[in-house]
Amino acid sequence: MSEKIVSMQTYAIIFATLVVFTVITYRVSLIDLGVLNFVVALTIAAIKASLVALFFMHARWSPRVTQLVIASSLFWLFILLSLTLADYIARGPNWTHGLRYPANP
Amino acid sequence: MAETNTVIGAHHASFAHQFDDPEQQRQAGALGMWVFLATEVLFFGGLFTAYTIYRLANPEVFAVASNELDLTLGFINTLVLICSSFTMATAVYNAQHGNRKWLIFFLCATVVLGMVFLGIKAVEYAQKFEHHLVPGAHFTIEGTDPNKAQMFFSLYFAMTGLHALHMIIGAGMMIVLIAMAWRNRFSPEYHTPVELGGLYWHFVDIIWIFLFPLLYLLGRSTIGH
């Protein structure tokens, strides 16, 4: 297996898609969709990040072991986020009381 | 085998003898870079986790505080970074084809776009100081609990600051790559440093792709200016 050479045409399409998604995420944030604003913003960010990783970073054509490292980095991030959140939320309705803040300005 | 290696080694000074062939060496280099980037994901992950906890606890405060950020500059900076990722990908493409001139050109373009990003970031930071939005004794904010709003700005400066530090390191790497390309160190057979520098640069772009919506786009529709 030799190094994958991605065509300039593919790079240009990915670049244009990233710009379009950036404009969409900006415009949508100005429309009130309630909780969906957050969902849309994060979904678009995830799509953009995937496009950069898969095409610009050649993850799509990387050896399996490299793809395993990428997947495991996301898995560990998932552990970090989910177990920390599970801890806080399991403290009950007053879970925010233990949070610390900077001193009064 | 040793004989084959000597022959290949004679042609490519950059080929290390512990590898079977240059392709294996290239893949090992890329794998090492990805392992490093996995540690970076968790490095930033700690900040993203802190952000998530405090935002869940104070959704309204974060929405008001986020509206103090300059949306236009944040939006422009997002586009600047995407452009720099494109020029970086193009630099790798030219390295693969042995176009030394265009490789140097696109590496320079990437550095310039990186500097534009940092320049805009500096303008934003200066605005925060002028508007008394830097956490500390002079912090003031209207319409919300300043004590909790400080937390948003602490996270803002920590996350964008760490990101900016990565940009500075990335720009330094680009300058080293430009110097190496200038000395004709790369060829279609060997350009792993360009590829690995590209991986790092794109990773820093991905971090910003998440920072932009998380920091700039909260409550824009309901609060607005």
Side-chain angles (χ1 to χ4, degrees):
Chain A
M1 191 170 116
S2 72
E3 186 184 4
K4 171 74 186 177
I5 295 179
V6 183
S7 72
M8 275 315 295
Q9 199 187 349
T10 307
Y11 283 144
I13 291 168
I14 298 301
F15 170 64
T17 313
L18 289 171
V19 171
V20 168
F21 271 124
T22 304
V23 174
I24 292 175
T25 197
Y26 169 77
R27 297 302 288 267
V28 170
S29 77
L30 303 175
I31 307 163
D32 188 5
L33 301 171
V35 74
L36 273 183
N37 275 118
F38 172 73
V39 176
V40 171
L42 262 202
T43 306
I44 291 179
I47 294 170
K48 285 165 71 185
S50 307
L51 288 176
V52 172
L54 287 173
F55 292 92
F56 284 175
M57 298 170 91
H58 301 174
R60 205 184 144 191
W61 301 280
S62 293
R64 271 296 154 85
V65 62
T66 306
Q67 292 175 344
L68 183 68
V69 168
I70 301 168
S72 59
S73 76
L74 297 177
F75 180 65
W76 285 104
L77 181 66
F78 166 76
I79 293 175
L80 176 65
L81 274 166
S82 60
L83 291 192
T84 312
L85 281 173
D87 174 15
Y88 274 99
I89 287 160
R91 294 176 191 188
N94 296 329
W95 70 274
T96 58
H97 289 188
L99 293 177
R100 304 278 298 270
Y101 290 92
N104 277 311
Chain B
M1 198 41 143
E3 208 169 292
T4 335
N5 278 355
T6 321
V7 173
I8 297 170
H11 288 286
H12 303 285
S14 49
F15 177 60
H17 64 85
Q18 70 267 33
F19 296 105
D20 288 343
D21 53 65
E23 176 58 18
Q24 189 194 41
Q25 172 174 314
R26 191 190 67 78
Q27 288 184 356
L31 179 63
M33 194 65 193
W34 275 107
V35 170
F36 168 68
L37 293 183
T39 72
E40 290 271 88
V41 167
L42 293 171
F43 187 22
F44 280 97
L47 284 167
F48 280 110
T49 307
Y51 170 92
T52 309
I53 300 287
Y54 278 93
R55 178 172 162 174
L56 278 175
N58 313 286
E60 291 87 13
V61 178
F62 268 45
V64 173
S66 169
N67 273 266
E68 296 292 330
L69 298 182
D70 195 320
L71 181 56
T72 312
L73 290 183
F75 175 68
I76 292 170
N77 250 354
T78 309
L79 293 179
V80 168
L81 263 200
I82 288 172
C83 287
S84 81
S85 255
F86 178 64
T87 56
M88 187 67 234
T90 313
V92 172
Y93 176 87
N94 281 292
Q96 288 171 331
H97 289 82
N99 303 328
R100 178 170 159 271
K101 245 194 237 166
W102 285 112
L103 166 62
I104 293 172
F105 174 83
F106 281 108
L107 287 174
C108 290
T110 307
V111 174
V112 169
L113 288 168
M115 290 300 124
V116 169
F117 176 92
L118 288 171
I120 292 176
K121 205 75 223 144
V123 170
E124 284 191 76
Y125 277 11
Q127 282 180 358
K128 298 296 156 290
F129 276 93
E130 282 169 27
H131 298 163
H132 296 286
L133 289 169
V134 180
H138 299 287
F139 185 87
T140 45
I141 190 164
E142 306 255 315
T144 192
D145 180 352
N147 206 16
K148 290 177 172 170
Q150 273 196 114
M151 200 61 197
F152 175 84
F153 282 96
S154 295
L155 285 164
Y156 166 77
F157 280 107
M159 293 167 105
T160 60
L162 187 63
H163 178 264
L165 178 66
H166 279 76
M167 293 285 298
I168 294 166
I169 294 167
M173 284 164 61
M174 290 304 129
I175 288 164
V176 171
L177 291 176
I178 291 167
M180 288 172 83
W182 193 266
R183 288 176 197 160
N184 228 345
R185 294 274 296 277
F186 303 127
S187 62
E189 293 78 33
Y190 178 75
H191 49 268
T192 307
V194 182
E195 197 191 339
L196 303 192
L199 287 178
Y200 182 83
W201 193 269
H202 294 310
F203 169 79
V204 177
D205 183 27
I206 287 178
I207 293 294
W208 184 262
I209 284 173
F210 284 101
L211 288 183
F212 175 61
L214 290 179
L215 294 172
Y216 287 79
L217 299 182
L218 312 187
R220 288 288 173 184
S221 53
T222 46
I223 298 160
H225 267 308

